[in-house]
Amino acid sequence: MKKTIIIGIAFWLAGLSPAFGADNWPVPEEYNVMDNPVEFNNQNVRAGRDIYDKNCKSCHGDPGNYNALPLVPPPPDAASEIMQANSDGQLYYKITIGRGAMPQFETTLGSDDIWRAITYIRRFDPRNEGKLVEEALRKGKIYALVGNYNSTIDIVAEEELTDNNIPLSNTTIFVRAKKTFGNLLVGSITTDENGRASYAIPQDMKVKSDGQVDFILSLNDDFETVTFSVSGVQVKQPDSNVELPRVLWSTNDRTQIWLLFTYFAALIGGWTVIGYVILQIYKLFRLGRNNKP
Amino acid sequence: MIQKKSPEEARKSLDLIFHDLTRSLRVKDELSRFWLFILIMFCIVGVWAWGYQIKEGLGITGMRDYVSWGMYISNFVFFVAVSLIGLLISSIMHLLKIHWAQPISRVAEQVAIAAVGLAGLIIVMDMGRPDRFLNVFLHGRFASPIIWDVTVITTYLVISLLLFYLPLIPDLALMRDRLKGKIPEIQYKIYDILSLGYRGNAQQFKIIYHSLRTLMLLIIPVGLAIHTVTSWLFAATLRPGWDTTIFGPYFVAGAFVAGTAAVIQVMYVYRVRYKLKNYFNDEIFDRMGKTLVFVCLVYLYFNINEFLVPGYKMKTAEGIHLTELFTGKSAPIFWFTQIGGLVLPILLLLIRYFRKPFPLTFIALVTLVASWFKRYIIVVPTLEHPFLPVQNVPEHFVHYSPTNPEITITLFAFFAALLILTALAKLFPVITIWEYAEHQGIEKKIMFNEYEN
């Protein structure tokens, strides 16, 4: 009886120990009092969300949904009490240094980005409830033309107000190039006080053999989604040398011809012989029928 | 040269041979019913496990992101290996006129058909979405060794079936002539249809002989291709342990070891079960023992190359892999495959006593089991050691251990293969009667005389 109790207690302790470990993550004194230098506003929360989605979500899950990966010890949900019980500085320390399966982000994220991620985590702090008022999205419009012998994209942006449109000054326009899958951010430019900007197309862009690029312009998240495409910009002369080389391991239209030839020659050759033998069997069958005793 | 027999003698001796070699068709006792029952039960369990896997997905296996080829692919490689014996015995040995091997050519073909058929099925069982199997043909990339493998395996299966069927035609004719009324009507009907009205005349025989020759030549490149291409599935990737140039011949040599060992098992069972002591005689076992030594020596030579050369250099990733094999977690299996599967048969089978039927069969069984584990050792440890370190994943992603459904499905392949062998042995003689009889000096005239036109 005594023995079973002792064993029972031992198991109970053993079961508790990882939980102990998770709670007890010592943070050096100087971090405890650190303050988040990033202002708590919509823009920074949004930036933090992008960082979180890219670097943390795969393990920690969607904040508030408690769908983190089942690791040991478990990654706490961003909205959980465990997470929110940390001070800003403690969060900063834990994210920077890491522990066990929690990676150390010191080497992969700048301190600005870590602070933005913390800002985003703080958005789920009950104490911050109602602090952020989502502003209504603004309505913008972009027009663009290719100028100066295909070396610039000349942009005009304006904002649609209820009664009239005004030039959209000092606003960032993102320039993306269309790829086979998704779009690649190639640069951005800020409009002047007249809502105008001239984006210089980078001359070292990698392009397809026809030398053409489709550009897509867009505004930032403060605006309703709006894009403007400038298609078929002749960035470079068409160049047949850009053609990807044929390599053995590639897709059917890019693999080397001799390989396809060999494969099909062997296939057809082998099956022709098999077909010939089957024909012989058929001949045997015909003979047998004619030979009926 | 064998003495021609007088017609009287010849007829008598043909009757005897026919009686002995069709015994497998007649045996219907408790034991064979029990055997069938066991096989069918296990096959049903296996199919059920597969159904479960289809329903739940491959997550029920032990395979994860890193080790994505586990027991199924090891099993697949094993079965492809075993099937290659058809090439060695019924083609190469026939073409080289090695007469002692003729009585076992049908056994070799049976083993080849069962093994290569199952190999194809195992691949489908390893698929997460077997319903999309046809996409392999519709959207396959011809530059991929996987497509080559699918192609050659299908081709090899067809050739093996033809190589089984063609020499069977005269036997079917013999059974048609001699078994009327002695077997169920439907079975007789099947023999009658399949024998294609063969009457043993010169024209018919010539067609069979000629077609057989053609196939024996064709199967050489195809047979070498199936195992070489299977090895390329591995060798064409950049991984420690697989990134080597001798994988093709290494696999082919290993295949002959596995296949020879498998044929010895089947021969022994037939010998005992169907009382064929005079056919699968001591001499054949003796020679099969020597064959096994020979193929093991060739394979040993490749193994030494495969492990000594990289072991000398111990390049970073390769070094981790080899250390794991030589002294690490996989060491027990590794040394079992090397010693049980190579050193032991080579040393023991040099002694005449061990080439007697029973000891030989036992040693070959150990070799066969070692051959299976050899495939496992080729497939799994390499996947556990990718070039980039494995980080931040749950423990069961790092080390592979097969689950129960996975083992059940793997065992299914064995039972299904045995079921195919059993069915073939119950339906058709296990030795080519006419060929054997001819060797005993019985002329074709006598075999088919009653119906000579």
Side-chain angles (χ1 to χ4, degrees), chain A residues 138-183:
Chain A
R138 296 156 69 190
K139 276 190 188 152
K141 256 206 158 117
I142 313 172
Y143 307 95
L145 274 177
V146 182
N148 203 6
Y149 302 103
N150 287 331
S151 69
T152 59
I153 301 178
D154 298 333
I155 305 166
V156 182
E158 52 186 34
E159 181 166 11
E160 290 180 21
L161 301 178
T162 30
D163 32 12
N164 63 331
N165 291 359
I166 57 163
L168 197 50
S169 56
N170 288 322
T171 307
T172 309
I173 311 271
F174 296 103
V175 184
R176 291 184 164 81
K178 198 165 156 47
K179 295 194 298 178
T180 309
F181 300 105
N183 302 325

Side-chain angles (χ1 to χ4, degrees), chain A residues 22-221:
Chain A
D23 279 347
N24 184 19
W25 185 340
V27 175
E29 203 51 50
E30 66 267 29
Y31 283 91
N32 287 335
V33 291
M34 232 182 205
D35 263 336
N36 188 346
V38 172
E39 197 192 333
F40 187 68
N41 63 21
N42 276 320
Q43 203 186 338
N44 286 333
V45 166
R46 231 172 358 239
R49 181 195 61 201
D50 291 345
I51 294 160
Y52 181 91
D53 285 355
K54 217 156 136 196
N55 299 289
C56 326
K57 188 173 153 172
S58 54
C59 293
H60 285 271
D62 305 293
N65 284 1
Y66 293 86
N67 56 353
L69 268 197
L71 304 177
V72 182
D77 191 282
S80 68
E81 259 173 57
I82 303 181
M83 195 68 111
Q84 297 297 344
N86 291 291
S87 71
D88 283 355
Q90 283 166 336
L91 285 177
Y92 184 80
Y93 174 79
K94 291 178 180 177
I95 297 168
T96 320
I97 305 298
R99 179 175 85 174
M102 166 70 196
Q104 123 187 46
F105 281 97
E106 195 172 18
T107 44
T108 44
L109 289 180
S111 63
D112 278 4
D113 282 348
I114 295 182
W115 283 120
R116 283 197 193 95
I118 294 173
T119 311
Y120 175 62
I121 293 173
R122 281 290 179 239
R123 151 132 162 47
F124 302 96
D125 187 342
R127 283 165 291 181
N128 282 336
E129 195 80 53
K131 268 205 191 154
L132 284 184
V133 187
E134 284 281 342
E135 309 143 25
L137 291 175
R138 296 156 69 190
K139 276 190 188 152
K141 256 206 158 117
I142 313 172
Y143 307 95
L145 274 177
V146 182
N148 203 6
Y149 302 103
N150 287 331
S151 69
T152 59
I153 301 178
D154 298 333
I155 305 166
V156 182
E158 52 186 34
E159 181 166 11
E160 290 180 21
L161 301 178
T162 30
D163 32 12
N164 63 331
N165 291 359
I166 57 163
L168 197 50
S169 56
N170 288 322
T171 307
T172 309
I173 311 271
F174 296 103
V175 184
R176 291 184 164 81
K178 198 165 156 47
K179 295 194 298 178
T180 309
F181 300 105
N183 302 325
L184 178 73
L185 182 66
V186 287
S188 63
I189 190 162
T190 311
T191 53
D192 60 13
E193 64 275 18
N194 299 321
R196 286 172 184 273
S198 181
Y199 176 75
I201 297 173
Q203 286 310 297
D204 55 353
M205 266 182 94
K206 288 262 185 298
V207 296
K208 287 180 293 189
S209 55
D210 61 4
Q212 296 189 352
V213 179
D214 297 340
F215 286 100
I216 296 160
L217 310 174
S218 61
L219 293 168
N220 67 27
D221 284 352

Side-chain angles (χ1 to χ4, degrees), chain A residues 101 248-252 255 259-260 263-264 267 270-271 273-274 276-277 280-281 283-285 287-288 291 293, chain B residues 140-143 147-148 151 155 158-159 162 166 169 196-197 199 201 203-204 207-208 210-211 214-215 218 392:
Chain A
L248 265 185
W249 40 261
S250 195
T251 50
N252 289 346
T255 188
L259 179 83
L260 291 177
Y263 173 82
F264 283 108
L267 185 72
W271 281 87
V273 177
I274 292 178
Y276 169 75
V277 169
Q280 296 300 307
I281 293 177
K283 222 159 111 188
L284 211 57
F285 168 71
L287 270 178
N291 277 355
Chain B
R141 266 162 77 160
F142 298 114
I147 293 296
W148 310 340
T151 313
T155 311
V158 172
I159 299 178
L162 288 172
L166 279 169
I169 294 176
L196 303 180
R199 309 270 168 235
N201 63 38
Q203 204 183 1
Q204 286 171 321
I207 292 179
I208 290 189
H210 178 70
S211 308
T214 314
L215 285 180
L218 177 65
N392 297 338

Side-chain angles (χ1 to χ4, degrees), chain B residues 62-351:
Chain B
M63 293 184 281
R64 292 291 179 269
D65 291 26
Y66 292 96
V67 183
S68 51
W69 284 357
M71 225 181 210
Y72 295 157
I73 296 293
S74 316
N75 210 25
F76 162 75
V77 178
F78 174 78
F79 273 87
V80 175
V82 167
S83 77
L84 213 57
I85 195 64
L87 161 73
L88 181 65
I89 291 182
S90 41
S91 159
I92 295 180
M93 288 202 182
H94 242 104
L95 290 174
L96 294 179
K97 297 200 166 45
I98 297 178
H99 290 305
W100 65 263
Q102 278 185 0
I104 52 174
S105 66
R106 185 164 290 158
V107 177
E109 260 341 296
Q110 287 179 345
V111 171
I113 290 171
V116 78
L118 261 300
L121 190 60
I122 291 168
I123 284 298
V124 179
M125 290 178 142
D126 189 39
M127 290 180 165
R129 291 290 301 265
D131 52 311
R132 295 185 181 171
F133 177 66
L134 275 187
N135 286 358
V136 173
F137 297 99
L138 297 179
H139 307 291
R141 266 162 77 160
F142 298 114
S144 160
I146 291 181
I147 293 296
W148 310 340
D149 214 31
V150 171
T151 313
V152 283
I153 284 185
T154 322
T155 311
Y156 188 78
L157 176 62
V158 172
I159 299 178
S160 295
L161 284 170
L162 288 172
L163 266 183
F164 181 77
Y165 178 55
L166 279 169
L168 191 64
I169 294 176
D171 279 4
L172 288 162
L174 279 173
M175 295 197 287
R176 173 201 61 204
D177 293 349
R178 286 158 169 266
L179 290 179
K180 189 160 180 101
K182 293 180 195 158
I183 51 173
E185 189 58 30
I186 172 118
Q187 195 177 356
Y188 180 79
K189 201 88 204 146
I190 293 175
Y191 294 155
D192 187 25
I193 293 172
L194 287 182
S195 67
L196 303 180
Y198 186 82
R199 309 270 168 235
N201 63 38
Q203 204 183 1
Q204 286 171 321
F205 181 73
K206 207 175 133 213
I207 292 179
I208 290 189
Y209 180 81
H210 178 70
S211 308
L212 266 177
R213 284 264 138 169
T214 314
L215 285 180
M216 283 176 195
L217 288 174
L218 177 65
I219 203 172
I220 294 177
V222 176
L224 288 178
I226 73 168
H227 222 43
T228 308
V229 171
T230 303
S231 85
W232 290 347
L233 297 180
F234 302 92
T237 63
L238 259 176
R239 282 174 179 276
W242 294 351
D243 183 14
T244 120
T245 50
I246 65 160
F247 246 38
Y250 174 63
F251 269 43
V252 171
F256 289 149
V257 174
T260 309
V263 164
I264 292 173
Q265 308 303 309
V266 179
M267 264 164 57
Y268 186 76
V269 173
Y270 289 165
R271 171 186 156 108
V272 174
R273 194 66 188 112
Y274 305 135
K275 304 195 174 59
L276 298 177
K277 255 198 181 62
N278 296 334
Y279 300 84
F280 296 122
N281 53 26
D282 287 16
E283 190 208 335
I284 291 186
F285 276 89
D286 185 74
R287 295 202 192 238
M288 279 303 270
K290 287 179 184 158
T291 309
L292 189 56
V293 173
F294 175 69
V295 289
C296 279
L297 278 172
V298 176
Y299 194 36
L300 180 68
Y301 169 69
F302 281 117
N303 269 276
I304 292 173
N305 274 280
E306 178 59 23
F307 291 108
L308 184 79
V309 176
Y312 199 86
K313 296 175 281 192
M314 283 288 182
K315 285 186 287 190
T316 326
E318 203 90 20
I320 297 173
H321 174 66
L322 289 176
T323 313
E324 164 97 17
L325 291 187
F326 295 159
T327 53
K329 187 167 68 97
S330 307
I333 302 186
F334 176 77
W335 291 112
F336 168 62
T337 62
Q338 296 300 327
I339 294 171
L342 286 172
V343 179
L344 203 73
I346 291 173
L347 292 183
L348 289 184
L349 293 181
L350 288 177
I351 303 164

